Structure formats: structure tokens, C-alpha cells
């Protein structure tokens, strides 16, 4: 059975990615941290596409938990499954001007957004190397490309994942594994619920926030055969908002 693993698949962009990949024929491993109800809803949406959904609750920043849940599942199902797609989407922000940014908020954002990339990718890419096929898609951010006042921790974590994306693409290309990133701008999710669209939209050439499905469409493209010669890239989905 062919699987796609989506971290942070319970809500927002991750949920839309789960549905998109299910529509493309993948069974889905839905990772999430704590929101059981939201994860169950994603499961329902994946199953409505006729695909199998497996809920995987673990904190992507906790290496031990990733091993206990993901590595155990992979070992138990190794004869019958193949994880072809990994979407590293789980992420958080804890914004503050650098002047006021506490070490705790710096560490937490780096742990989830950057170490979270490390643990899941480390496990899954080894499996992909053996299968000699894989698509790794990292959800980064416009902040990681251009920087953003009040988001040093977040921008640093996303810029680091962009560097990791480009480097890993160069290491694993010969094994037919592609590694790319998608960089959303302002997308309507719980993460941006505190940002006033009316106030910000005049700065966006397309004059609106994006929809999760618009990000999932690009994730779907990068996971597809159509993207077989695209690797080490960062594709922006931001309505034209650059600088
Ligand atoms: P969201 O609506 O806040 O959802 C976050 C998802 O990540 C949830 O499924 C959450 O699980 C999961 N999650 C958070 N911390 C986790 C952890 N430590 N371990 C496992 N899962 C964890 O966020 P979103 O807006 O969809 O953002 C998704 C990704 O896109 C993030 O990487 C974010 O940085 C990036 N992004 C978003 C925007 C935007 O405008 N929304 C812009 C640029 C980039 P629970 O449901 O269990 O809490």
C-alpha cells in the first residue's frame, strides 16, 4: 500500500494536503500533536475519498515519540507498505520583536519547525532510499525567504529548512528522491486567525489571503509524476507578495 505522511495533518494546510494526496490515490498517515477531534475530521475526509487513514499522534519535536509511533508503525507494516510522500508541514509561530523574545519561545519554534523536520525526515528518507523513490515536501514560509519583523525565531527556522531542502535534494537525487519546499504567504487557517485580512490585503497583489486548497494544489503537484524533474526548489504560494 502506498502511503503519504503529512505532519500536522489535523488542521489547516496539512488537512488540505491530506485530502489532496488521498484524491491522488495515496493512503494517508495523519500526524498531529493533540487535537483529536480535528484529526478525526481529517480521517473522515480521507476515508470519504476511499483511502485508508492512520492517525499518528506525536510531537514532531520529540525524537523519542517519533521513534515510538512512526518507526514502530513502519517496522510493523514493512512488508506491506511504502511511504512515497512525506509532507513536513507541522509548524508553530510565537511572534515577538527580538527585543522581547524569550529564550523559551526561540527554542520552542526552532524545535517544532526545524528539529521536527529532522526526526520525521531521518526515518522516512532511509526507507525511501531503499525503495529508490520518494517525494519530500517541506512547508516553509515567505518569512524564511524575506525575513519578517517580529518573527526572528519563525523566519530562522523556515530559512534553515530551506537550506536543508536544497542540501538534501543534492544528496538523494541519484536515488530518485526529490526534495522541495512550498512557501505560503498569508493563508486562512487557525495560525493566521489573529491577523486582520482587511488590514493586510492591500499589500498583496491578488488582494486576499490564500486558501489551504491553493497550497495543497502545489504540494500535490510536487508529489506527482509531473514534478519528476523538479528538486531543490522553493515554490511560493503567496498571491504575489514578495517584498
Ligand atoms: P495550523 O492551522 O495552526 O495547524 C497546525 C498543524 O500543525 C496542526 O495540525 C497541529 O496539530 C500541528 N502541529 C503543531 N505543532 C505540532 C507538533 N509539535 N507536532 C505535531 N504536530 C504539530 O497551521 P497552518 O496555518 O495550517 O500551517 C501549516 C504550516 O504552514 C506550518 O508549518 C506553518 O508554519 C506554514 N505556514 C502557514 C502560513 C499561513 O498563513 N497559515 C503561512 C506560511 C507558512 P494539532 O491540531 O494537534 O494542534
Amino acid at each position: 500500500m502506498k502511503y503519504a505522511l503529512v505532519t500536522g495533518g489535523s488542521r489547516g494546510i496539512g488537512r488540505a494536503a491530506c485530502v489532496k494526496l488521498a484524491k491522488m490515490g495515496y493512503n494517508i498517515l495523519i500526524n498531529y500533536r493533540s487535537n483529536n477531534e480535528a484529526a478525526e475530521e481529517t480521517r473522515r475526509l480521507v476515508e470519504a475519498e476511499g483511502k485508508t487513514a492512520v492517525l499518528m499522534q506525536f510531537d514532531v519535536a520529540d525524537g523519542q515519540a517519533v521513534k515510538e509511533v512512526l518507526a514502530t508503525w513502519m517496522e510493523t507494516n514493512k512488508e506491506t507498505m511504502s511511504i512515497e510522500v512525506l509532507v513536513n508541514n507541522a509548524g508553530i509561530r510565537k511572534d515577538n520583536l527580538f527585543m522581547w523574545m524569550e529564550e523559551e519561545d526561540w527554542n520552542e519554534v526552532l524545535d517544532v519547525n526545524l528539529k521536527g523536520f529532522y526526526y520525521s525526515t531521518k526515518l522516512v528518507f532511509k526507507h525511501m532510499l531503499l525503495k529508490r523513490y520518494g517525494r519530500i515536501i517541506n512547508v516553509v514560509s515567505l518569512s524564511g525567504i524575506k525575513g519578517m519583523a517580529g518573527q526572528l525565531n519563525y523566519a530562522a527556522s523556515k530559512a534553515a529548512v530551506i537550506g536543508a531542502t536544497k542540501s538534501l535534494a543534492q544528496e538523494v537525487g541519484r536515488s530518485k528522491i526529490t526534495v522541495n519546499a512550498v512557501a505560503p504567504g498569508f493563508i486562512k487557517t487557525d495560525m493566521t486567525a489573529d491577523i486582520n485580512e482587511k488590514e493586510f490585503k492591500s499589500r498583496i497583489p491578488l488582494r486576499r489571503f490564500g486558501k489551504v486548497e491553493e497550497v495543497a494544489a502545489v504540494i500535490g503537484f510536487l508529489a506527482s509524476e509531473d514534478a519528476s524533474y523538479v528538486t531543490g526548489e522553493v515554490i511560493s504560494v503567496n498571491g504575489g507578495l514578495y517584498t
Side-chain angles (χ1 to χ4, degrees):
M1 283 175 81
K2 291 180 179 180
Y3 281 90
L5 165 61
V6 180
T7 68
S10 51
R11 292 183 285 126
I13 292 168
R15 175 184 283 168
C18 289
V19 174
K20 177 69 188 176
L21 292 164
K23 282 186 198 292
M24 289 168 62
Y26 282 105
N27 301 295
I28 312 290
L29 306 175
I30 305 165
N31 158 258
Y32 66 109
R33 181 169 49 185
S34 57
N35 194 331
N36 294 312
E37 208 178 312
E40 285 295 348
E41 175 59 13
T42 305
R43 185 216 291 266
R44 195 190 63 71
L45 293 168
V46 168
E47 288 176 351
E49 298 299 330
K51 293 288 143 193
T52 299
V54 179
L55 294 188
M56 287 198 169
Q57 183 177 10
F58 59 81
D59 179 345
V60 292
D62 180 345
Q64 194 54 38
V66 178
K67 276 192 197 138
E68 275 165 23
V69 181
L70 179 57
T72 305
W73 184 88
M74 287 171 71
E75 180 59 27
T76 312
N77 295 281
K78 68 179 177 198
E79 305 299 339
T80 55
M81 71 82 194
S82 169
I83 302 179
E84 291 196 348
V85 180
L86 166 62
V87 183
N88 284 304
N89 164 79
I92 57 165
R93 48 176 268 250
K94 296 258 164 154
D95 298 353
N96 216 334
L97 290 175
F98 192 51
M99 172 88 81
W100 314 114
M101 188 172 288
E102 299 293 342
E103 187 178 351
E104 194 185 324
D105 289 348
W106 176 270
N107 287 338
E108 199 182 334
V109 169
L110 267 290
D111 280 355
V112 175
N113 297 2
L114 181 56
K115 270 167 82 182
F117 159 84
Y118 173 85
Y119 293 125
S120 298
T121 307
K122 195 75 193 284
L123 273 178
V124 174
F125 103 104
K126 282 187 188 160
H127 165 84
M128 289 174 169
L129 282 177
L130 288 172
K131 301 276 178 187
R132 295 190 68 77
Y133 182 85
R135 295 274 194 265
I136 299 174
I137 300 150
N138 302 317
V139 181
V140 293
S141 171
L142 177 64
S143 287
I145 298 173
K146 72 175 275 287
M148 192 80 79
Q151 287 199 324
L152 259 81
N153 49 358
Y154 184 79
S157 70
K158 296 297 189 179
V161 173
I162 289 172
T165 300
K166 294 181 180 200
S167 304
L168 189 59
Q170 292 176 38
E171 288 190 13
V172 298
R174 75 182 74 167
S175 299
K176 297 191 177 69
I177 300 170
T178 65
V179 190
N180 292 287
V182 176
F186 289 103
I187 308 299
K188 268 189 244 184
T189 67
D190 295 343
M191 186 180 270
T192 51
D194 60 337
I195 303 172
N196 187 338
E197 184 178 357
K198 276 191 189 135
E199 207 176 289
F200 276 85
K201 70 180 181 184
S202 63
R203 301 184 203 175
I204 304 169
L206 286 179
R207 293 293 187 273
R208 63 175 175 84
F209 282 12
K211 298 181 218 152
V212 289
E213 293 79 10
E214 292 171 315
V215 182
V218 178
I219 293 172
F221 165 68
L222 289 171
S224 75
E225 270 304 315
D226 287 343
S228 50
Y229 204 54
V230 180
T231 195
E233 273 305 313
V234 183
I235 301 184
S236 290
V237 185
N238 62 21
L241 178 69
Y242 284 98
T243 49

